[in-house]
Amino acid sequence: MNAAEPLTPIEQDPVKRLLAVVRLLVMEVHPGSSAAQTVGLDSILDRELGLDSLSRVELFARLEREFDMDLPENLLSEAQTPGDFLGAILTRAGVARAQPTSPAVLPGQDAATGIPDTVHTLAEALAWQAGQHGQRIHIHLHAEAGVIEPISYQTLYREAQAVAVGLRRSGLKPGQTAALMLPTGRDFFCAFAGILLAGGVPVPIYPPTRLGQLEEHLLRQKGILNNAEAAALITVAEGKRVARLLKAQVPTIRHVTTAAEVAGDPDDFRAPRLAAQDTAFLQYTSGSTGNPKGVVLTHANLLANIRAMRTALDVTPQDVFVSWLPLYHDMGLIGAWLGALCCGYPLAIMSPLAFLTKPSRWLKAIHMHRGTISAAPNFAYELCAAQISGQDLEGLDLSSWRLALNGAEPVSPDTIERFAARFARAGFRREAMLPVYGLAESTVGVAFPPPGRGPVIDRVHREPFASGGSAVPAAEHDLDVLQFVCCGAALPGHQLRIADDTGRTLPERVEGHLQFKGPSATSGYHRNPDETARMKRGEWLDSGDLAYLANGEVYITGRTKDLIIRAGRNLYPYELEYAIGNLPDMRKGCVAVFGSRAPHTATERLVVVAETKQRHPAKREALRRQINALATEVIGSPPDEIVLAPPHSVLKTSSGKIRRTAMRERFERGTIGKEPAQSWRRLARLRLSGLTARSRRSLRSLAEGLYAFYAASVATVLCVMTWLIVLLLPSGGAGYRVAHLAARTLFRACALSPRVSGLAHLRAESPTILVSNHSSYLDGIVLCAVLPGWPRFTVKGEFERHWVMGPFLKKLGAHFVERFAVDKSVADAQRLTNRVEARESVVFFPEGTFRRPPGLLPFRLGAFSAAVRSQAAILPIAIQGTRAVLPDGNWLPRHGRISVTICPPIAPEGDDFHAALALRGAARAAILRHLDEPDIVEPTETALTAPQRQE
């Protein structure tokens, strides 16, 4: 086809009809996926749209009905894109001239707004920008001494490639985590992007500021890094000594290095295969050592959120973003930097310390770069209004600033008015102020107001709101009112609701729990199923905030928990309480941390009340400094008030919990009636604990190595013996019985015997199709060990020709299926249907493949099509634990727990394509309920078309 001439309106009609059919089918086959939004004539049916062989047969039939024509049968095996179908349709319709396989701009793609929608990962986004706009300045980095360092897309890409090469050579594998303990600077950008390009998962954490804060900082980071299972740590050269102490506390860390030390030759870079549903990075919202909360954000989450924010704010490459926000926080990392990367506008950035020490630097940078977008928490606007002098206002021009996003902590109406009035003479327009709402669990953005409208303040009567949560509008002359700031409506493609404690949706202007859903929503917290379960409310996620809706827009009113939001970071009180309680001279468990609204500014103050027996004035002052430094380390800013109280001042419940609300009331009424250890002692203590940890780790590694050698030896002997015996036996059930016994012996000898539940659901008298999740090479052996009778496994066709596996699997009665040729796949599906009708029980791994990172991949339709054709029940099986015992890429097993849950059978309700889809959805949901793994919904190349590893 020739792309020289555009389609005429008459000729475009088939294009629209064709794409509508394809889009609808993708939505049905992969509900919840964003693939349907990117359907174009050049979209690859299997790799990009996730349409397997049977789905393509359905597409073929639908297109014949839509265009009322018989299409050539060879299209089933030869068509790779919708454009291939279009050519055949136009030919059959008698259109003489050739048509292009793709419009100049694909549907859903806007060439003027940064990366196209065909880009599915952050690594692809950086590569695309480097290829298309390599010499364009991406970042204006405000370094020390007023130096501004330009970084182009090409420069960042090359330096990131160098880091990626070094990380891969040092042993970082795709899917493994690597931590960054770096300040705002060139190294952070290159290291973060380099981890992505290496296929790793970045974990940004903030670096220590002073040696005196070392112990508490390491305790905090220890919890995060152990939860993340970080394999590497990249830090500044000055921090390597500190980081090595941290390495001793975190067994998984193999390398502590700097960005410069790890860099290799960028010409050696080879891009790994990444998919939209792969984890892009972990954003930790709570760093307590006991229960870190790392939000899992996929590439799909990030790009969906950035694109939705781009649409809501009408962003173009002509915008300029100016930021001082820390890069270890979602608002600075995603909202500022990654948004700039994907939308194509330049980013001017300085360190948070540069802003905090002199707030005018932020506004002067907006003036210098003619910034159009900037974002900050409420306290930053309050700080500017209060501290920037009239002299600093001289010559300041803020007229270019069209989007002043105010979020990440409660927005004060008074702050809005003070800031707007204070900087009106500098050209700032009140209409530019945009109070917004977001949280890391929805990537970053959740709700935005329309640009240019200006802030909307809702005044409601105090009494009905305080007593019943009813936001009754107050008249202008009413005095006893509460004021709440409108944060806008949900981002495009996302939804918000207000629910009561039972999960019932509340009407507008009634306060309740703010819940959300959409393509930006996380699948959960990394390795923290308890917190993940607490957040989920069916298909909704609970934000932990209280709010109400009015005219479809959200007004935040408070927090469900005693959560304190300070300087753009979420802080759970027990996090800082725990850290302060571990200081010398403090009474552990007798510290209360809470927020108290300042009477004049309405900005929330951070208050620390800590019990101590220390009475010496100098030592008490030193203790205050220690708490100040520790709070700065933990939450990014010092407390506003520190009260050193005598013993028994902190109020507790009968069960020993801190009564924070009561403490707040006592503080506001004014009725609240360590010497730090020397640095060498801290270092000695850390080194001693590190030595102990290393010793324990060495012993554990030795035990694991001995076990792996033993288990591998047993497996090798049993496999060889079983292979020989099965080949000598006649075809039939005898071979499976031998394999069944050998598998049970293997697991028993290795102390890995699976815990099985639901065996009663297996019924020998009726044909059954068994479908199981697939996470390890062990899965087939596990099912062979636990399934009685003689089930037949479906195996990829390539194994039939393998000289070792082929004869063995044939003796076991395995069914070989073709994966790539559509016509053969359809024939195989019919053959399997016939075997089920002949009362065979057939085992499928409908994911078709597995990978190292956890997550249930999309299911292929073959098993479910056979079920509806034969009207056989589906028996879902959930296997848990094999991914940990024998992960992808590892041939030495680890000891662990394996469980197999056989779910109740699910009968098909119908015999058509939609019945197969429904059956697949029900089976997949049943398996997910018994897995502690996220749901991977995107039809990606890795998930759907990577080589199968069925045993």
Side-chain angles (χ1 to χ4, degrees), residues 181-253:
M181 195 162 66
L182 294 166
T184 297
R186 188 187 192 106
D187 282 354
F188 182 96
F189 295 112
C190 296
F192 189 98
I195 296 170
L196 288 173
L197 293 181
V201 178
V203 181
I205 59 177
Y206 54 94
T209 55
R210 300 181 185 88
L211 187 61
Q213 305 165 354
L214 178 61
E215 185 174 21
E216 291 73 27
H217 180 82
L218 292 182
L219 284 173
R220 176 180 171 80
Q221 306 314 316
K222 173 185 172 182
I224 291 176
L225 294 173
N226 275 314
N227 178 261
E229 296 183 308
L233 175 63
I234 302 177
T235 185
V236 295
E238 298 81 2
K240 286 189 66 177
R241 183 168 67 97
V242 175
R244 288 196 181 98
L245 293 176
L246 186 59
K247 178 182 176 182
Q249 304 290 321
V250 184
T252 56
I253 292 182

Side-chain angles (χ1 to χ4, degrees), residues 215 245 248-249 680-696:
E215 185 174 21
L245 293 176
Q249 304 290 321
W680 70 268
R681 290 180 180 174
R682 293 176 176 273
L683 289 172
R685 185 159 54 244
L686 285 169
R687 291 187 186 281
L688 180 60
S689 64
L691 178 61
T692 303
R694 281 195 296 270
S695 299
R696 286 196 300 264

